Amino acid sequence: MSSRRERDEVPAAEALFAAVDVGRAPADGPVAFGADLAPEVLLAAYRRGLFPLPAADDYASAFNEARFEDAVAAGEVALLPGSDHADPYALAWWSPDPRPVLDAGGVRIGHKLARLLRNRLDWWTTADRAFPEVLAACAEGREPPWLTGELQQALTGLHRLGAAHSAEVWSGGDLVGGVFGIAVGPVLSLDSMFHRRSDAARVAVADLAARFAAAGGRLLDAQWDSPHVRSLGAAPAPRARYLAALADGGPGGPADLEPLDTTRLPAARLAPRRIRKRHPRHPDQAEG
């Protein structure tokens, strides 16, 4: 049972973003600066179609201020209240338009990888079994290092609340790939992925998507458009469509999804064998 403090914090976090009109926000720039990375604030942001991008260092924060202070002054980019001692430009909130999305059951594996999974790769998958390890692996070597320690701590808090999920790909006892994301009702926003074996990240995405779809999820959000997310099956959609999908999972929306299946499963199940259709013989080829 949640405490009174926890019940009070959620409405307060929701109210923090109430003045942000995401539907009319910049398509290719930050929507807001400020606030903090408390788990309840982070969840409220995802519910409104926003995701965080912390500045890597003081230089990056100063660059944000120099570049966007006029937009903030004009009211085009919101400045959210936060700690009195915090630099608001150290934390940006984004909501790109268009938004790359795909159906939860529509992740592409590819014929070559499917054959490997069926015939050669003895990989297994789990979900929510190694969330901290997936976070740490996603943060390794990333430039700029947006997945900061503070953000990892907040995401771990969301994981404990049941809103953040990971999928892990294993080869024997080795973690070879993974992905994590935030679930808001029927939408799963994919934050980051990693691989230590070729195509293991793709398998992780397909696995998490399959588990999410089985729980009743409908849409995956890839956040940033790129050739890689296009290869997974994502396609740009108007931000308005994405926001409408989120509205189904916000406060007052439909009931929560079924719990995510976290059991150990063979990765080969993600690559079912193709059934070849038999074409009827041409009359001229009929046996005499």
Side-chain angles (χ1 to χ4, degrees):
M1 181 178 294
S2 61
S3 67
R4 179 178 179 180
R5 178 175 180 272
E6 289 172 332
R7 293 194 298 269
D8 290 343
E9 282 177 339
V10 172
E14 297 290 342
L16 185 65
F17 295 97
V20 179
D21 188 352
V22 180
R24 297 184 178 182
D28 56 356
V31 172
F33 288 103
D36 58 46
L37 286 172
E40 63 274 5
V41 172
L42 197 56
L43 184 56
Y46 276 91
R47 283 175 174 156
R48 295 187 67 85
L50 302 167
F51 57 84
L53 192 62
D57 50 35
D58 290 342
Y59 174 82
S61 178
F63 178 81
N64 283 340
E65 182 174 7
R67 183 175 179 184
F68 296 107
E69 60 180 343
D70 289 343
V72 169
E76 298 169 0
V77 177
L79 196 63
L80 306 175
S83 170
D84 293 339
H85 305 290
D87 176 7
Y89 289 96
L91 178 57
W93 300 93
W94 287 71
S95 183
D97 187 14
R99 198 77 170 237
V101 299
L102 65 158
D103 293 337
V107 177
R108 295 174 185 161
I109 286 289
H111 299 318
K112 181 179 178 181
L113 177 57
R115 287 196 300 271
L116 289 174
L117 290 174
R118 289 194 300 263
N119 302 320
R120 293 181 58 187
L121 295 175
D122 187 21
W123 287 357
W124 294 80
T125 66
T126 55
D128 291 341
R129 298 290 187 91
F131 188 84
E133 291 86 344
V134 170
L135 279 187
C138 287
E140 289 176 2
R142 298 295 176 90
E143 292 296 336
W146 64 272
L147 194 50
T148 61
E150 184 182 7
L151 180 53
Q152 290 185 55
Q153 183 177 0
L155 290 165
T156 301
L158 282 188
H159 177 62
R160 287 195 292 266
L161 293 174
H165 299 285
S166 63
E168 303 90 24
V169 181
W170 306 89
S171 178
D174 296 328
L175 181 63
V176 298
V179 64
F180 75 90
I182 311 300
V184 177
V187 178
L188 178 66
S189 185
L190 300 173
D191 272 32
S192 189
M193 64 190 79
F194 81 95
H195 69 274
R196 292 171 179 156
R197 303 276 179 87
S198 180
D199 288 321
R202 181 181 295 270
V203 172
V205 172
D207 178 78
L208 186 56
R211 294 174 191 264
F212 186 62
R218 298 196 298 271
L219 193 70
L220 301 183
D221 161 36
Q223 296 186 348
W224 302 103
D225 195 14
S226 71
H228 177 64
V229 301
R230 296 281 187 105
S231 74
L232 291 170
R239 182 169 55 196
R241 177 194 165 194
Y242 178 67
L243 296 177
L246 281 176
D248 288 339
D256 292 338
L257 305 180
E258 294 294 322
L260 203 71
D261 181 6
T262 63
T263 55
R264 184 175 182 262
L265 297 171
R269 83 189 195 286
L270 301 169
R273 294 185 180 277
R274 298 177 64 192
I275 299 176
R276 294 184 178 181
K277 295 182 179 180
R278 292 187 177 183
H279 297 283
R281 288 185 176 185
H282 189 278
D284 293 341
Q285 296 176 321
E287 295 180 359

